[in-house]
Amino acid sequence: MSLSLPSQLVIAGVVLWVLSSLYQRFFAPSPLDNLPGPKSSSLLTGNLTDMFNRNAWDFHRRLIHEYGPVSVVRGLFGERMIYVFDPKALHHIVVKDQYIYEETPVFLNFNRLFFGKGLLSSLGEEHRQQRKILNPVFNINHMRHMTPLFYDTAHRLRNAISRQVTNGEQEIDMLSWLTRTALELVGQGGLGWSFDKLDSPDPNTLAEFLKAFVPTVSPLFLLMRFMPFFAQIGPAWLRRKAIESVPIDRIKKSIEISDTLNRTVREILDLKKAALASGDEAVTSRIGEGKDIISVLMKSQMEGSEEDKMSDEELMGHMNSLIFAAFETTSGALSHILHKLSEHQDVQEKLRQEITAAREGRDSIPYDELVALPYLEAVCRETLRLYSPIATLNRRTTQDIVMPLAAPVRGKDGKTFTEVPLPKGTDVAIAAWGSNINPAIWGEDAEEWKPERFIQPLREAVTEAHIPGVYSNLMTFLGGGRACIGFKFSQLEMKVVLAVLIETFKFEVPKDKDIYWNFSGVQFPSVGREDEHGQLPTIVSFAKSM
Ligand code: HEM
Ligand SMILES: *[C@@H]1O[C@H](CO)[C@@H](O)[C@H](O)[C@H]1NC(C)=O
Ligand SMILES: *[C@@H]1O[C@H](CO)[C@@H](O)[C@H](O)[C@H]1NC(C)=O
Ligand SMILES: *[C@@H]1O[C@H](CO)[C@@H](O)[C@H](O)[C@H]1NC(C)=O
């Protein structure tokens, strides 16, 4: 059997890596071994398969409750990974020493490969520059400006669902609708583009494709850990060839999805450019003052000096990354809110009353009033706390660094310590979910869904913990220089969609279906174990008018 050069390189990379990992495992004991953590009996994968699979919730729960705010988990071939949600350590990881705790090569290469250059694949100065260019798209003024666009989309969604329930209650897959809505909202608000008028009951092709991305890619996690090796070996086209030559359906499917996204983005860009060149008034004036992402980027492209001009490829990388970052997370979070409201009819009714009273017979609730609705805010916060769409985020240290802790921890040798020296190259899992459900901070009822938590004054332990999250003492949107740039955008989307849907419809859980949230890279709802793409079957009817 003869193998192609790319395959040979992949194999050589893997062999090298296995040898170096085995060396680390057996001949290089580490001070990290004194940290609490589960015993791993599998030499091959340690506890990684426990940590990243559909049912990983219980494993994470055990790490959080049995081993506490900092622990060590064994990965592939015994490699060590720090699992941490101590608030002071988190502050150092995402704020103070953020340039030492960098995104992992796997994450960066993966994003570069599938989406191109963008916020999700850059580091350091380049990343800071990109944030500076994109920030105006996400400021409060722009949010206010986008509110009518968001309402317009939400109203179209309402019409589409109304048509389905005119003859009485129906079971509807709300994930499919919310996915389409999330795509349309990032299109309208982010790209100045409409992907889906939401006027057809048939699923939108691009939305379905994108929705399949995370479920398709997540099980590749273990494989993806091999990527850094050949990523360092050859030029980009060779890496791409190597990936394409891997005979695994999931990989082919992932490439197909990212190519479809990239093609769509190319079309949008070409149309905008053509309109600009032909002096199309509507587009030209939009580019001038437009705050959507394409307009901002094209403006920066036109104004940039020759040498630092942004290339089309870069521009497309940004667009791909944004659509991807905005899409799955928001549709997942919205679906989770709807699912909780379906389970808790009392909360749903109370929310409906708040929304109806606030609208006061007007067409919609204006921005400032909408964002100030206390119960709506509490429902969103509590769901984003307990069901953080992204449960853990990975970082790797680029040099030796001491990670301080807020509270002392007892090591396996019985001694307590208040800081952990991490060698260069240590994998660190930021346990966002762990921080959000830490009972020492949120109380013994931390794993219960209680929107009231955010109506009453917050526990002192919460305010005093100084959790470095950008939003509401939560790690859901992270903090520091790589925090979610779209967190306000995302909240506005959720509130607009909820305000419109909850007032019009009543949502209930179907009696004969068990909805299970697949852990995945971004958690998604599914029915039964064989459901690969996710769905949220929901019984929908018109709410009784009050
Ligand atoms: C509930 C919804 C959302 C959640 C939970 C969420 C969460 C996150 C998290 C945890 C990160 C950090 C990733 C990392 O450092 O590895 C992130 C980054 C990012 N998010 Fe979000 N996000 C949401 C919605 C959005 C939306 C609506 C947009 C855009 C419109 C967006 C755009 C981005 C971008 C561009 C980044 C990369 C930022 C950077 O690296 O500088 N996100 N998000
Ligand atoms: C870690 O993995 C080993 C087997 O690989 C298993 O026996 C052990 O229960 C796992 N630990 C936890 C906490 O699940
Ligand atoms: C999610 O669930 C599907 C089956 O429903 C499963 O095949 C897949 O492996 C799960 N994803 C992860 C990341 O475990
Ligand atoms: C997207 O397409 C452009 C060509 O239009 C190409 O240069 C770029 O590499 C593609 N990006 C990805 C991530 O495939």
Side-chain angles (χ1 to χ4, degrees):
M1 191 175 85
S2 71
L3 288 169
S4 65
L5 179 64
S7 310
Q8 288 176 18
L9 286 177
V10 173
I11 292 171
V14 169
V15 169
L16 262 174
W17 180 72
V18 168
L19 290 178
S20 88
S21 304
L22 285 174
Y23 170 79
Q24 268 205 5
R25 169 79 162 93
F26 291 111
F27 303 105
S30 149
L32 300 181
D33 294 342
N34 189 34
L35 292 180
K39 243 202 204 70
S40 141
S41 55
S42 162
L43 174 64
L44 188 64
T45 56
N47 280 100
L48 268 197
T49 49
D50 300 309
M51 196 162 172
F52 299 97
N53 70 62
R54 167 187 167 85
N55 295 305
W57 300 111
D58 283 339
F59 179 72
H60 286 258
R61 239 178 229 116
R62 278 178 63 189
L63 282 183
I64 293 162
H65 295 307
E66 277 176 38
Y67 303 105
V70 56
S71 55
V72 64
V73 183
R74 290 300 192 134
L76 282 184
F77 302 103
E79 146 194 70
R80 298 167 186 88
M81 178 185 265
I82 303 302
Y83 190 88
V84 57
F85 56 91
D86 174 280
K88 187 166 180 189
L90 291 180
H91 178 77
H92 278 246
I93 295 168
V94 303
V95 180
K96 192 155 177 296
D97 302 322
Q98 56 178 298
Y99 296 109
I100 292 168
Y101 297 90
E102 290 282 28
E103 296 279 7
T104 63
V106 175
F107 180 88
L108 297 167
N109 287 317
F110 170 89
N111 289 321
R112 178 67 59 98
L113 180 76
F114 285 113
F115 308 120
K117 273 177 94 170
L119 281 176
L120 297 172
S121 63
S122 62
L123 292 177
E125 191 48 39
E126 189 189 13
H127 180 260
R128 263 197 302 266
Q129 282 303 326
Q130 293 176 347
R131 287 281 294 215
K132 228 168 80 192
I133 296 173
L134 287 168
N135 268 335
V137 181
F138 296 100
N139 70 25
I140 297 268
N141 266 339
H142 188 42
M143 294 301 124
R144 211 173 257 123
H145 173 77
M146 276 188 311
T147 309
L149 282 176
F150 282 9
Y151 269 120
D152 182 54
T153 299
H155 289 151
R156 279 187 274 135
L157 173 64
R158 180 179 64 193
N159 295 344
I161 294 177
S162 295
R163 282 195 291 274
Q164 293 194 310
V165 301
T166 39
N167 297 322
E169 66 173 39
Q170 283 291 326
E171 183 179 306
I172 296 176
D173 175 13
M174 286 307 294
L175 180 67
S176 173
W177 281 111
L178 294 174
T179 302
R180 293 172 64 171
T181 307
L183 180 63
E184 179 63 358
L185 288 169
V186 68
Q188 294 268 352
L191 308 177
W193 188 262
S194 173
F195 287 107
D196 183 353
K197 295 278 173 222
L198 299 172
D199 50 6
S200 157
D202 302 325
N204 174 276
T205 319
L206 182 62
E208 285 300 307
F209 252 76
L210 291 175
K211 182 170 116 194
F213 190 71
V214 166
T216 305
V217 144
S218 291
L220 296 174
F221 180 84
L222 288 182
L223 262 182
M224 271 151 42
R225 298 190 66 91
F226 293 99
M227 282 178 54
F229 290 89
F230 60 90
Q232 282 151 16
I233 295 172
W237 64 265
L238 181 66
R239 257 176 274 154
R240 168 87 193 202
K241 278 257 175 303
I243 283 278
E244 280 172 356
S245 72
V246 183
I248 295 181
D249 281 348
R250 280 186 187 280
I251 294 186
K252 293 196 188 314
K253 179 86 193 282
S254 313
I255 291 177
E256 195 189 341
I257 296 173
S258 89
D259 282 350
T260 308
L261 175 62
N262 200 34
R263 251 198 327 274
T264 311
V265 156
R266 172 92 257 174
E267 280 166 31
I268 300 176
L269 188 60
D270 287 345
L271 282 170
K272 292 235 170 189
K273 286 200 158 182
L276 196 64
S278 73
D280 182 325
E281 266 299 304
V283 178
T284 322
S285 66
R286 266 209 90 134
I287 301 285
E289 56 182 359
K291 287 266 178 60
D292 66 82
I293 289 152
I294 303 190
S295 303
V296 167
L297 291 176
M298 281 176 82
K299 211 163 108 192
S300 130
Q301 192 180 37
M302 288 185 295
E303 286 167 359
S305 62
E306 255 340 293
E307 71 250 39
D308 62 24
K309 232 184 184 69
M310 193 183 288
S311 67
D312 272 9
E313 197 175 333
E314 241 181 297
L315 222 154
M316 290 167 65
H318 281 302
M319 288 159 70
N320 286 333
S321 311
L322 266 154
I323 295 176
F324 173 70
F327 170 76
E328 198 98 16
T329 42
T330 303
S331 62
L334 252 174
S335 298
H336 225 135
I337 297 177
L338 215 55
H339 184 201
K340 295 317 282 182
L341 291 174
S342 306
E343 287 178 343
H344 299 264
Q345 291 296 324
D346 53 331
V347 178
Q348 190 180 139
E349 186 50 39
K350 195 169 160 191
L351 184 59
R352 188 170 292 122
Q353 280 170 15
E354 182 184 75
I355 291 166
T356 312
R359 193 167 63 85
E360 284 181 322
R362 291 170 295 184
D363 192 39
S364 56
I365 308 169
Y367 176 86
D368 295 279
E369 290 173 43
L370 180 71
V371 297
L373 292 180
Y375 203 59
L376 181 58
E377 175 75 21
V379 166
C380 292
R381 279 182 196 220
E382 180 64 349
T383 313
L384 287 164
R385 180 188 71 82
L386 187 50
Y387 305 105
S388 176
I390 301 173
T392 62
L393 294 123
N394 300 317
R395 296 291 189 263
R396 179 173 290 175
T397 54
T398 55
Q399 60 182 68
D400 294 353
I401 179 88
V402 172
M403 181 176 78
L405 303 172
V409 160
R410 188 172 297 279
K412 284 184 183 141
D413 63 4
K415 297 195 186 104
T416 57
F417 51 89
T418 51
E419 52 183 42
V420 186
L422 302 179
K424 174 181 173 178
T426 304
D427 279 315
V428 177
I430 301 172
W433 189 52
S435 176
N436 289 357
I437 64 164
N438 183 357
I441 290 177
W442 294 95
E444 284 312 312
D445 62 357
E447 281 207 55
E448 288 164 45
W449 187 74
K450 288 184 175 169
E452 276 67 26
R453 195 188 301 278
F454 287 103
I455 299 276
Q456 298 146 4
L458 278 177
R459 285 165 54 95
E460 228 169 85
V462 176
T463 46
E464 278 172 8
H466 302 295
I467 297 161
V470 279
Y471 170 65
S472 192
N473 303 298
L474 306 179
M475 289 304 285
T476 307
F477 295 96
L478 210 67
R482 299 193 82 97
C484 178
I485 199 173
F487 83 98
K488 289 199 197 91
F489 187 104
S490 158
Q491 277 162 56
L492 183 62
E493 292 180 87
M494 288 188 241
K495 287 184 172 176
V496 165
V497 171
L498 287 170
V500 170
L501 290 187
I502 296 300
E503 197 187 345
T504 317
F505 305 108
K506 179 176 179 190
F507 298 95
E508 291 164 286
V509 281
K511 290 192 178 52
D512 54 341
K513 287 186 181 145
D514 216 7
I515 288 154
Y516 184 83
W517 288 81
N518 194 309
F519 184 85
S520 208
V522 182
Q523 58 167 308
F524 65 90
S526 55
V527 176
R529 310 232 143 186
E530 299 320 313
D531 170 15
E532 280 267 337
H533 297 307
Q535 54 175 308
L536 181 66
T538 308
I539 307 291
V540 187
S541 57
F542 283 114
K544 276 195 240 45
S545 50
M546 283 163 289

